[in-house]
Amino acid sequence: MAKKKSGTKSASSTPYRDALHAAPGIDLAGIDTRGTPAFDGDKSAGKKALTALAEPVSDLQERLFAEATAGGHRRVLLVIQGMDTAGKGGVMRHVVGNVDPQGVEITAFKAPTAEELEHPFLWRIRNALPDAGMIGVFDRSHYEDVLIARVHDLVPKSQWSRRYTTINTFEEEVADAGTTIIKVLLHISFGEQKERLAERLDRPDKHWKFSPADIDERAHWDEYQQAHQAAIDRCSTEVAPWYVVPADRKWYARLAVMNLLNEHLEPMELQWPEADFDVKEQRKRLLRS
Amino acid sequence: MAKKKSGTKSASSTPYRDALHAAPGIDLAGIDTRGTPAFDGDKSAGKKALTALAEPVSDLQERLFAEATAGGHRRVLLVIQGMDTAGKGGVMRHVVGNVDPQGVEITAFKAPTAEELEHPFLWRIRNALPDAGMIGVFDRSHYEDVLIARVHDLVPKSQWSRRYTTINTFEEEVADAGTTIIKVLLHISFGEQKERLAERLDRPDKHWKFSPADIDERAHWDEYQQAHQAAIDRCSTEVAPWYVVPADRKWYARLAVMNLLNEHLEPMELQWPEADFDVKEQRKRLLRS
């Protein structure tokens, strides 16, 4: 009944999960960044499909939230990674922005503060994990500690190389606590990034999003791709799989992430909590009040 | 130019601010909870007017956010108070949900935890104040400490009666730090609350929002109104004014809060930050990258 009401497909139909799942050993370089896996239509159809998902996904989010008010422990953690300009902000705005902001907690991880650096790398991540009933969204994450940290030798190799195992153990623990983990890599091309940075330079209302360091980072593009590949090879697990979303087309990337969210919420079979009071009795009391 | 682009009215035009402003001494009981001050149209026109504000308010929010990335200190704090079922959640979803979730921090204040009770009542409030560039939204607030605390004698009168002054000092300090404070009381009638509670009882998907204690609280309705009146009389100040929003019509309450947000953001004359780099030079570097 829930499924009929929300108008979504059956839980067994997970085309985006299947099409975008990145198992260890997948060749990242072989994935077309302009592709639109699991979707046949054009941009206009894609935008409509995204809008059409807003209501069913909102409905599922509210059920998740309601479940926690009745003692449920389940929650969702959506991790968004990607190179500069890959569209992380757009996903926050146009995907996450489709659900009730009361049920969502976005954390943007920047360069660690002095306080954060004094703690193990997962400390600030643990502090930002979603409460029961919430959809937590990480704009960058603990994966920066095996991406930028690896590319720029922020810590010795002996240290970052141990982190993959640490991350897997951590994510297992998070999953055991009732968290559905969805890890998304927004995958853009070197050329597409150039165009997007050029647009930021061309538009005065985008200058604030640009930093000269963004261009410095382009010199390390291949190393970042290797680091992404390693993150997938080492950390795409059953409880916390990676999904690679082709992101040269912004509309597709947003549609894909929305579908991934939907296809993870659906099989949870979220139900409205049963009343823990006698409805008839309360109706009588209300009438007299 | 900014104003033209965002399509909003001039900063001097603040009909909702003027119509809804609740100065000390205003008679709360005399305000029609079914009224639609500053708006002439019907529900359908009201919904359209709300949608039409989404883009200009989002634009202003993004400028506020951008300003902070360039060192700005300004921020907004929207405080939403109201009796159970007054529509606080709807404001979060349908007003706050219109702007980029990256720029918004919602905090819902429930009954204080054991840890919170060990601290002064403003401790948890201070911890939830918005960072520079953000729109902080309080779903309930420190005003609970002069509302429920007063009605139910959670602390002695000698204590809660001092809190009005404490709150004013606190809000002045918050305003001095660069915060535009907007305090909204969603004002519903006793009869409207009854209908909304009845709906929660009638709909299994709303049972989780209902608690038998909601009916107990109705017995204290008049005391709550007096406590609201006192909060306005004592704490509607120049830097942190109260606005009373008639809320028996949900569509109007949402439209009014959206307009209040707009009418407070507009006069801030938010500009995109100037580039702190040489745009031409960066373009050349990008081309070579």
Side-chain angles (χ1 to χ4, degrees):
Chain A
M1 251 183 51
K3 274 154 220 154
K4 269 190 191 156
K5 191 195 163 196
S6 62
T8 51
K9 289 172 191 166
S10 87
S12 60
S13 161
T14 56
Y16 287 84
R17 284 180 73 154
D18 296 340
L20 301 172
H21 180 234
I26 197 172
D27 178 23
L28 188 58
I31 297 176
D32 179 7
T33 54
R34 289 190 63 78
T36 63
F39 190 72
D40 272 340
D42 61 4
K43 180 173 176 174
S44 152
K47 287 192 165 189
K48 269 184 207 150
L50 177 65
T51 305
L53 274 173
E55 205 179 301
V57 171
S58 291
D59 178 74
L60 292 168
Q61 174 274 318
E62 194 175 1
R63 287 163 190 259
L64 179 66
F65 188 90
E67 181 181 89
T69 66
H73 293 288
R74 294 194 290 177
R75 64 204 80 185
V76 171
L77 175 61
L78 175 64
V79 172
I80 306 287
Q81 286 287 158
M83 300 296 289
D84 277 331
T85 77
K88 299 183 291 295
V91 164
M92 300 303 146
R93 187 164 190 156
H94 300 286
V95 178
V96 179
N98 272 314
V99 303
D100 190 335
Q102 295 171 99
V104 168
E105 270 173 32
I106 297 177
T107 309
F109 293 98
K110 312 282 181 190
T113 63
E115 189 192 12
E116 287 167 353
L117 285 171
E118 278 175 22
H119 292 84
F121 76 100
L122 290 176
W123 178 75
R124 64 177 185 163
I125 307 296
R126 287 184 190 278
N127 286 342
L129 288 172
D131 289 327
M134 299 292 286
I135 298 178
V137 186
F138 285 178
D139 175 353
R140 303 186 185 270
S141 68
H142 43 299
Y143 282 96
E144 291 299 322
D145 297 291
V146 290
L147 291 169
I148 191 170
R150 169 179 164 142
V151 170
H152 287 290
D153 299 310
L154 300 183
V155 296
K157 180 175 180 182
S158 63
Q159 203 171 325
W160 60 250
S161 64
R162 280 197 307 272
R163 287 180 175 170
Y164 297 100
T165 311
T166 309
I167 287 174
N168 286 340
T169 309
F170 166 68
E171 290 180 350
E172 253 176 58
E173 179 198 320
V174 171
D176 284 348
T179 314
T180 298
I181 304 174
I182 315 167
K183 298 185 300 198
V184 169
L185 173 62
L186 297 176
H187 189 41
I188 59 165
S189 66
F190 189 65
E192 179 67 20
Q193 189 191 53
K194 191 175 202 164
E195 280 181 35
R196 292 187 186 178
L197 287 173
E199 195 196 354
R200 288 188 181 175
L201 285 170
D202 287 345
R203 289 177 51 177
D205 63 331
K206 299 281 184 192
H207 283 168
W208 67 279
K209 291 189 173 186
F210 179 89
S211 156
D214 298 345
I215 299 180
D216 303 335
E217 285 298 86
R218 283 174 60 75
H220 300 283
W221 187 270
D222 291 343
E223 294 158 84
Y224 273 107
Q225 298 314 304
Q226 286 159 23
H228 282 136
Q229 180 76 52
I232 291 167
D233 290 344
R234 303 282 306 272
C235 301
S236 193
T237 60
E238 203 170 320
V239 296
W242 271 108
Y243 297 95
V244 174
V245 171
D248 277 4
R249 302 176 199 259
K250 289 180 184 174
W251 65 265
Y252 172 76
R254 293 166 189 172
L255 175 65
V257 176
M258 189 73 165
N259 273 286
L260 286 172
L261 197 53
N262 188 45
E263 291 176 8
H264 282 81
L265 285 165
E266 269 242 309
M268 293 171 77
E269 302 196 336
L270 294 152
Q271 305 300 329
W272 297 112
E274 295 282 321
D276 58 357
F277 47 84
D278 182 329
V279 176
K280 277 187 190 167
E281 184 198 326
Q282 295 302 324
R283 256 197 215 109
K284 278 184 206 159
R285 287 187 68 218
L286 179 62
L287 276 175
R288 289 195 305 266
S289 76
Chain B
M1 252 184 50
K3 274 154 218 152
K4 270 191 189 155
K5 190 193 164 195
S6 62
T8 51
K9 286 171 194 168
S10 87
S12 60
S13 161
T14 56
Y16 287 83
R17 284 180 73 154
D18 296 342
L20 302 172
H21 180 234
I26 197 171
D27 179 22
L28 188 57
I31 296 176
D32 179 6
T33 55
R34 289 190 62 76
T36 62
F39 190 72
D40 272 340
D42 61 5
K43 180 174 177 174
S44 153
K47 287 191 167 191
K48 270 183 207 150
L50 177 63
T51 304
L53 274 172
E55 204 179 302
V57 171
S58 290
D59 178 74
L60 292 168
Q61 174 273 318
E62 194 177 0
R63 287 163 190 258
L64 179 66
F65 189 90
E67 181 180 89
T69 66
H73 293 286
R74 295 194 290 178
R75 63 203 81 185
V76 170
L77 175 62
L78 176 64
V79 172
I80 307 287
Q81 286 286 157
M83 300 296 289
D84 277 332
T85 78
K88 297 183 291 296
V91 163
M92 301 304 147
R93 188 164 190 156
H94 300 286
V95 177
V96 180
N98 273 314
V99 302
D100 189 335
Q102 294 171 99
V104 168
E105 271 173 32
I106 298 178
T107 309
F109 292 98
K110 313 279 181 192
T113 63
E115 189 192 13
E116 288 167 354
L117 285 171
E118 278 176 22
H119 291 85
F121 75 100
L122 289 176
W123 178 75
R124 63 176 186 163
I125 307 295
R126 285 184 191 278
N127 286 341
L129 288 172
D131 290 325
M134 298 293 287
I135 298 178
V137 186
F138 285 177
D139 175 352
R140 304 185 186 270
S141 67
H142 43 298
Y143 282 95
E144 292 298 322
D145 298 289
V146 289
L147 292 168
I148 190 170
R150 170 179 162 143
V151 170
H152 287 291
D153 298 310
L154 301 183
V155 296
K157 179 173 181 184
S158 62
Q159 203 171 324
W160 61 249
S161 64
R162 278 198 309 270
R163 287 180 174 170
Y164 298 100
T165 310
T166 309
I167 287 175
N168 287 340
T169 308
F170 166 68
E171 291 181 348
E172 252 175 59
E173 179 198 321
V174 171
D176 284 347
T179 314
T180 297
I181 304 174
I182 314 167
K183 298 185 301 198
V184 168
L185 174 62
L186 297 176
H187 189 42
I188 58 165
S189 66
F190 190 65
E192 178 68 20
Q193 188 191 52
K194 191 174 202 164
E195 281 181 35
R196 293 186 185 179
L197 287 173
E199 196 196 354
R200 290 187 180 176
L201 286 169
D202 287 344
R203 290 177 52 176
D205 62 330
K206 299 280 185 193
H207 283 167
W208 66 279
K209 291 189 175 187
F210 179 89
S211 157
D214 298 344
I215 298 179
D216 303 335
E217 285 298 88
R218 282 173 61 75
H220 301 283
W221 186 271
D222 291 343
E223 294 158 83
Y224 273 107
Q225 299 313 305
Q226 287 159 22
H228 282 137
Q229 180 75 54
I232 291 167
D233 290 344
R234 304 283 306 271
C235 300
S236 193
T237 61
E238 202 170 320
V239 297
W242 270 108
Y243 297 95
V244 174
V245 171
D248 278 4
R249 303 177 199 259
K250 288 179 184 173
W251 65 265
Y252 172 76
R254 293 167 190 172
L255 176 65
V257 177
M258 188 72 165
N259 272 286
L260 286 172
L261 196 53
N262 188 44
E263 291 176 8
H264 282 80
L265 284 166
E266 268 242 311
M268 293 171 77
E269 302 197 335
L270 293 152
Q271 305 301 327
W272 297 112
E274 295 282 321
D276 58 358
F277 48 83
D278 182 328
V279 176
K280 278 187 190 166
E281 185 197 324
Q282 296 302 324
R283 258 197 214 111
K284 278 184 206 159
R285 287 186 68 217
L286 179 62
L287 276 175
R288 288 196 305 265
S289 77

